Amino acid sequence: MDDIAAWFAGRLPGDWFEGSPEVTVDREEIVVVGTVPAPDVEAAVLEQAAAGRAERFREETRAARMRIADEAEARFGRKVAWGVRCGPVRTVFTNLAVPVMTRLRQPERRLLDTLVEAGVARSRSEALAWSVRLVAQHQGDWVQQLRDSLGAVRAARAAGPQV
């Protein structure tokens, strides 16, 4: 994962983002989110101005981002999504929605159906996304401990004998 973030840090034009971009990687996708300068406007309109700045970045860098994404996809075997953080606004332009519903058994599907029937979500997939966000919100520290532990496991594997 660090090698992917390092590749993007070296590959991206230096004038795109303030500092290094945030690079998040899973089995299917790499999400690159960089910070662009917030517009100098009144606080009351900052969110709208920041959204406009994010859209401008998206349009002005589209061709170059797609070339870099093609290189990264060939190199790392994952799709690339892009986004920006501008003031209070964080926007990811296009990222994967990976189907996982086929792995759920009936009790889990019934739970999702309950959330849909109750009006919490419009569909099973939206209910699943809502559930994942809820777990992340209420179990964030625990999930971070798991991630940290996995990082230690990866480091131990890398330091072990090479087969």
Side-chain angles (χ1 to χ4, degrees):
M1 212 156 56
D2 291 337
D3 59 327
I4 295 174
W7 184 85
F8 275 97
R11 179 61 182 88
L12 295 177
D15 62 341
W16 274 10
F17 302 126
E18 295 178 334
S20 295
E22 168 192 324
V23 179
T24 309
V25 179
D26 68 12
R27 286 182 276 187
E28 291 87 16
E29 182 178 39
I30 301 166
V31 180
V32 180
V33 178
T35 301
V36 296
D40 186 20
V41 296
E42 297 176 23
V45 295
L46 178 58
E47 194 166 322
Q48 288 301 316
R53 170 105 8 122
E55 189 61 31
R56 183 179 84 190
F57 176 86
R58 181 181 190 184
E59 294 304 319
E60 289 177 356
T61 62
R62 183 183 311 274
R65 284 185 298 106
M66 295 305 101
R67 277 193 309 277
I68 294 168
D70 289 344
E71 293 172 25
E73 288 172 17
R75 183 180 200 101
F76 301 113
R78 295 173 174 98
K79 292 292 184 185
V80 176
W82 298 92
V84 294
R85 177 173 278 111
C86 183
V89 175
R90 183 181 190 274
T91 305
V92 176
F93 304 140
T94 306
N95 63 325
L96 292 177
V98 180
V100 295
M101 208 63 65
T102 58
R103 304 236 187 250
L104 296 178
R105 302 286 186 234
Q106 187 180 40
E108 292 90 7
R109 292 191 310 264
R110 288 184 64 215
L111 172 63
L112 297 177
D113 289 341
T114 300
L115 294 173
V116 171
E117 290 170 17
V120 173
R122 293 181 303 224
S123 65
R124 281 182 175 174
S125 59
E126 188 176 289
L128 182 60
W130 180 86
S131 300
V132 169
R133 285 191 299 273
L134 190 65
V135 168
Q137 178 183 352
H138 292 288
Q139 299 299 322
D141 292 339
W142 177 75
V143 171
Q144 188 58 49
Q145 285 178 332
L146 287 176
R147 287 185 179 137
D148 293 344
S149 297
L150 288 172
V153 168
R154 285 187 197 103
R157 282 186 189 146
Q162 301 300 316
V163 196

